């Protein structure tokens, strides 16, 4: 029996280092990793990332996506 190919559906989220709890200015590595790991645990995958000022560590924004299940999309 031939399988039907169903196109993947995605939802997107803007990710910004400004949303990460922690001290300012700048974030420390542990704060950023905790934030990104929480996104990953919720199924989000970063696929676009831009650093605002390369000299300022961990100051970025980007786009994350996760697949929408068929049940969610209906």
């Amino acid at each position: 029996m031939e399988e039907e190919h169903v196109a993947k559906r995605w939802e997107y989220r803007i990710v910004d280092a400004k949303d990460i709890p922690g001290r300012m200015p700048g974030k420390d590595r542990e704060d950023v990793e905790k934030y990104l790991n929480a996104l990953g645990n919720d199924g989000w995958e970063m696929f676009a990332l831009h650093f605002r000022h390369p000299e300022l560590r961990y100051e970025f924004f980007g786009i994350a996506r996760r697949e929408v299940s068929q049940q969610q999309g209906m």
Side-chain angles (χ1 to χ4, degrees):
M1 193 178 231
E2 194 173 314
E3 289 186 35
E4 183 179 326
H5 177 17
V6 178
K8 290 184 178 185
R9 294 173 43 130
W10 303 97
E11 64 178 319
Y12 297 89
R13 178 176 181 169
I14 302 297
V15 177
D16 195 313
K18 292 178 182 179
D19 298 332
I20 301 171
R23 61 188 172 84
M24 292 300 272
K27 308 288 181 196
D28 59 29
R29 184 182 187 126
E30 291 79 23
D31 292 336
V32 174
E33 288 176 348
K34 184 177 178 180
Y35 178 75
L36 293 174
N37 282 323
L39 289 173
N41 287 334
D42 287 339
W44 294 101
E45 172 187 40
M46 294 293 296
F47 74 95
L49 190 63
H50 175 75
F51 288 88
R52 281 188 189 89
H53 307 286
E55 66 277 1
L56 296 176
R57 295 174 49 163
Y58 311 121
E59 289 301 320
F60 62 87
F61 63 93
I63 302 172
R65 70 179 183 183
R66 69 178 170 188
E67 191 172 356
V68 176
S69 72
Q70 295 233 325
Q71 290 84 14
Q72 287 176 297
M74 294 182 168

